[in-house]
Amino acid sequence: MSAVKLTLNGKELEVAAGTTILQAARELGIDIPTLCHDPELPPNGACRLCVVEVEKARSLIASCVTPVAPGMVVQTESERVISARRSILSLLIANHPLVCIICERTGSCKLQDYCYRYGVTDSEYIGETKDLPLDESNAFFVRDMNKCVLCGICVGKCQEIVGAGAIDFTKRGFMTNVGPAYEDKIEDSTCVFCGLCIDSCPVGALIPKATIGKGRPWQVEKTRTICPYCGVGCGIFLHTRDGEVIDVLPDFDNPVNRGHLCARGKFGWDYLKSSERLTSPLVRSEGVLIAVSWEEALGLVVDRLEEISSRFGPGALMGLCSPKASNEESYLFQKLIRSLGSNNVDSHSRHCHAPAVDGMMKAFGGAAMTNSMEELVSAGAIFLIEADPLKTHPIIGYRIREAVKKGACLIAAQSEEAGLSDLAVHYLPLRPGSAVALADAFAAVILEEKLHKPEFINKRTEGFAAYSSSLGPEIVNRAIEQTGISEEQLRLAARAFATAESAAIISTAGDNAQEGDYRLVTALTNLALLTGNVGRENCGLYLPYSENNLQGSADMGALPAVLTGYQPLKEKKVRDNFSRAWKVELCEQPGLSAAALFSGAEKTAIKAMLVMGENPVACGDQHQAATEILRNLDFLVVQDLFMTETAMLADVILPSAGFAEKTGTYTNVGRRVQLNRAAIDPPGSAQPDWAILAELAGWLGFEWDYDGPGDIFAEMAALTPQYSGISYERIAGVGLQWPCPHPEHPGSKYLYEGRFLRGLGLFTPVGAADQEKLPLSHDESCSGVCGEVPCSCLSDSMRNHSVISKLQ
């Protein structure tokens, strides 16, 4: 692209052709005022505040919509420009309530700032003004359309980014307004309460209810941190005052969410101040839980664990770790359990993702998502099969919408009505249970029409002969019969996928540990290998999961058969390395998994359990089994924020800190390790889980010496090849993606370039996968995470104590 030279406020500069005057000015650090401009949206030149004077031009021109031209001479603050801006501002405030003294946006209102900048104190235009009623119908924010300046940014965000289409311009002329159709309340519209409109509003028209009366912008402390809900790991800023979170704003510099949030991230933090938070240790005495000191509680835990271990052996101990705990906490948790002589450590919710994990492990040797979410926007095709990301992972849904706008071919195959299908070039409505047949039929068509990638297959894979021979002509016919779609639809969609320069596959297969999901993941890994859409940029297999640190908890070794970084316990060299670092002898025998424990697949001898942040009693179909097993334990310790169903069965309850009350790291679905920072203190005597574990270890006689989470992370990174180049200093900004093997490494955007973890990628005929049993006990083949919204138990305590419960 050729460059263009121009002069801006007397300074010469050179910019790319097509750059607008506004963009060129910002490159020079010159601030041209705007109300309607947003870099994510097409420029519309509505507010006219960005007008500038261009030499030889007859009139002032809007800088946001005017591209630079060779030799252009621009003045952004000439007398003529300033006069025009004053007139525009005067027109705006003529129909804008001047209640700045009590307005919640005072100090962060663009209109107020610009009036101050240009000395506009009142309007010279007198006439009728709007008198619209407040819309307080929803639980989240107040809409005062009397303050709206009709910039249109909220409309653009709602329609172009989110796709909710809840609001638009209504009426005409003086009566033009922004809102739902037919003047409905926002509560009755298609609004998903993502908050993008609030965060982009330049004035005080949209105000979160939780912030009203809580403080001015200059009175608020802002802490950069990470959203605690799903595996996307959005960057956020916590706004706090007087030790209380009062608002959440998105981090526009974080590449994960780029300033976007969903309802959970924007509004789902108020559980932190719930009156039902646990604030002191509780010990069961004669059937009743009573508040005690930390010394008494920890003393009892130590006495009972030592007694049970001495009587029944260390194998009688088990730990369940939450995928919402930080990396540091997950690392210390499994370290403590293993230091006590047991490998019975797991994350209960992980078993829900086992089919997806096992399928990817078998094909690639690893089960992390192969590519980054940021790459989706550059994919040539996206195959969305049995997934509804707008509902489960909205940010991923936004990226798919963005990719389609850039020209990506969306193929949507769904057995239930889902978002984004209206954008699909190929929409394939499936009959329930037919997704595996469709994926295999795609492969059969690709092979038949010679659209596969022989060079990639020959060089990077094995098992192709057996796989290809399993895809006979009957595969397509069977799929047509099972799915209910026509052969023409099927073939057109398969060709679109196979002929794209890069293609991504997105599915939420793995939900609830169904074996059919294992077959689907196997079929999808085969499809990725067949078309060479793995091991390079802008393609890959995306199996997003629901909990914010499910990836990290697995990375940290909170699994029965592996240590950090999926290093196998059965290898003596690995055990020796950890034994030296921890100064304990590690047991070689893999431990019991949560799935095996609660499914009853194996008779267990577990007598005591430590449960950190988990709530297995509330987990769906295993409710009765989990309740019975936990009730029959000799001793149960629970660390949590709330009195959960599991905590109600505990002998000792230790109160934990929430995400905003502790520092640590989370690893998101794209393997990005990000720093979560404490913004407020926990209530009462509650403590971060890492501090509880460290203190408990000291009572048990272990010589742990940590000044804080940074020390814990450093110890873990020294033992974990994928993390060895990551430090708190390096992730202070927007984090790093593992593998990151040394301090100079920039992090890895995608996996398996040149080599899979297992060496060669493995094709597995789905018929063969159908015969395999999912591992429920030792999970020796299981080393990662994926899946979607399986167990609601983990997030329920957060949601149920938050205003977002009103969305359920």
Side-chain angles (χ1 to χ4, degrees), residues 406-419:
K406 293 177 65 176
C409 174
L410 179 61
I411 306 160
Q414 315 281 8
S415 59
E416 296 181 2
E417 186 176 344

Side-chain angles (χ1 to χ4, degrees), residues 360 364 368-372 534 539-541 671 749-752:
M360 294 182 74
F364 307 142
M369 211 164 70
T370 65
N371 291 64
S372 308
V534 65
C539 61
L541 184 55
R671 297 165 288 101
K749 195 172 185 179
Y750 55 92
L751 297 176
Y752 312 135

Side-chain angles (χ1 to χ4, degrees), residues 58 371 406 474 492 586:
R58 288 184 299 175
N371 291 64
K406 293 177 65 176
E474 74 282 357
L492 286 173
L586 296 183

Side-chain angles (χ1 to χ4, degrees), residues 15 173 217 231 292 351 399 461 475 497 532 567 620 737 741 754 771 776 786:
V15 296
V292 298
H351 88 278
R399 298 298 168 265
T461 72
I475 295 294
F497 177 81
Q567 299 172 82
Q737 292 168 279
Q771 305 303 314
L776 288 173
C786 46

Side-chain angles (χ1 to χ4, degrees), residues 228-229 263-271 659 798 802-804:
Y229 277 92
R264 290 172 296 179
K266 177 65 179 176
F267 298 108
W269 46 266
D270 53 332
Y271 70 90
F659 86 102
M798 294 161 61
S802 168
V803 69
I804 61 169

Side-chain angles (χ1 to χ4, degrees), residues 52-53 113 293 334 346 355 358 380 452 470 497 502 523 541 548 570 583 623 644 673 712 728 747 775:
V52 294
E53 187 170 2
D113 291 345
S293 66
Q334 60 90 26
D346 203 357
D358 294 338
H452 58 296
S470 73
F497 177 81
S502 59
L541 184 55
N548 67 315
K570 62 185 178 183
K583 300 177 183 178
H623 161 74
T644 64
V673 184
I712 302 169
Y728 269 33

